Amino acid sequence: MTDHSDTQEQQAAAADATTFWDRRYQEKDQIWSGRVNPVLAEVVGELEVGSALDLGCGEGGDAVWLAGMGWRVTGIDISETALQRARTAAEQQRVDARTSFERHDLATDFPSGTFDLVSAQYLHSPVDFPRGAVLQQAARAVALGGRLLIVDHGAPPPWMPEGHEHPPFPTVQQTFDELGLIQDHWRVERLEAIERPAVGPDGQQGVLLDNIILVCRLA
Ligand SMILES: C[S@@+](CC[C@H](N)C(=O)[O-])C[C@H]1O[C@@H](n2cnc3c(N)ncnc32)[C@H](O)[C@@H]1O
């Protein structure tokens, strides 16, 4: 029997996340730089080309770059506004034949299939989001011999206004532990927090902390 109260609650939560992110994207014609995230570019440079899943792909900066490198990429986001921008970027870069952008609310609806690379770049959300469970599903979507790359903010950016509410930033070890990987089935290739110089939205110079997890599926 369907539990209507649960279903309605789930729908309400989903609508909130969708509304939040669509509004966020609609605030401006472009939210992100459009450039590939630096850690992804560094990691992918050493991998053989294959299939990739980009979770929370936003406006498609990473997916379009990956496709330009020859990868077949599925980009997933909750915001149709962001996805439409990603499709346009892929067409403009003439890589649309190697990209597919799909709307999923990862909290309730994870894409099917396995991939040589599953990438989650700054997959944070201030709206109720079961990040641990989503990242566990991300690990299950990695093909044998494939890799999971998670890059997270390890701390708020220095230009974040004081008193600004944000979800807690887990340490890299906390995120890794939450994945619950079977030790013998994975090789840990990177597990570290690194600092990198960055420029804020109003040109502020600062240093950001990135948490990086890169694991390769062995079994
Ligand atoms: C902080 S942004 C990062 C965007 C991009 N990966 C980047 O590095 O620029 C988080 C992205 O996750 C998406 N997102 C948030 N909650 C989601 C959900 N429940 N399902 C799918 N995507 C979601 C947002 O729409 C947004 O594009």
Side-chain angles (χ1 to χ4, degrees):
M1 198 170 87
T2 309
D3 181 337
H4 286 287
S5 60
D6 264 355
T7 308
Q8 277 166 11
E9 270 175 32
Q10 281 168 2
Q11 283 170 351
D16 285 346
T18 306
T19 305
F20 173 87
W21 282 103
D22 256 332
R23 281 199 188 134
R24 171 94 173 83
Y25 279 105
Q26 284 162 10
E27 277 166 15
K28 291 187 190 168
D29 291 340
Q30 184 178 344
I31 296 281
W32 312 113
S33 70
R35 290 189 297 278
V36 62
N37 279 303
V39 177
L40 176 70
E42 185 191 319
V43 164
V44 164
E46 307 200 339
L47 302 181
E48 260 181 51
V49 162
S51 58
L53 178 67
D54 184 7
L55 299 171
C57 66
E59 293 159 331
D62 287 346
V64 167
W65 181 86
L66 280 165
M69 300 290 285
W71 290 73
R72 286 168 281 110
V73 191
T74 304
I76 303 296
D77 208 279
I78 196 170
S79 165
E80 193 51 53
T81 307
L83 291 167
Q84 200 45 55
R85 291 178 190 171
R87 290 183 195 108
T88 302
E91 280 164 19
Q92 285 171 346
Q93 297 297 316
R94 298 179 195 280
V95 293
D96 44 315
R98 280 198 297 280
T99 56
S100 145
F101 293 100
E102 299 174 10
R103 188 189 171 278
H104 292 256
D105 177 355
L106 293 168
T108 53
D109 174 27
F110 200 90
S112 59
T114 56
F115 301 82
D116 300 311
L117 173 68
V118 178
S119 171
Q121 303 285 314
Y122 309 105
L123 185 57
H124 300 278
S125 179
V127 189
D128 199 18
F129 183 58
R131 230 177 76 91
V134 171
L135 293 178
Q136 286 170 10
Q137 283 183 294
R140 288 197 286 275
V142 177
L144 202 57
R147 283 171 175 81
L148 171 66
L149 173 64
I150 301 170
V151 182
D152 284 341
H153 293 300
W159 43 81
M160 185 182 274
E162 257 184 58
H164 184 92
E165 295 236 347
H166 59 79
F169 291 93
T171 66
V172 67
Q173 189 65 49
Q174 284 169 336
T175 301
F176 179 79
D177 291 345
E178 211 173 2
L179 289 172
L181 302 179
I182 298 173
Q183 208 181 328
D184 295 346
H185 291 192
W186 295 86
R187 181 174 64 238
V188 179
E189 296 183 332
R190 289 181 76 169
L191 182 63
E192 59 184 335
I194 60 160
E195 290 185 340
R196 67 176 165 94
V199 179
D202 299 318
Q204 314 94 316
Q205 303 286 328
V207 172
L208 296 181
L209 186 67
D210 279 342
N211 289 341
I212 303 172
I213 297 173
L214 178 65
V215 287
C216 177
R217 179 187 277 279
L218 306 176

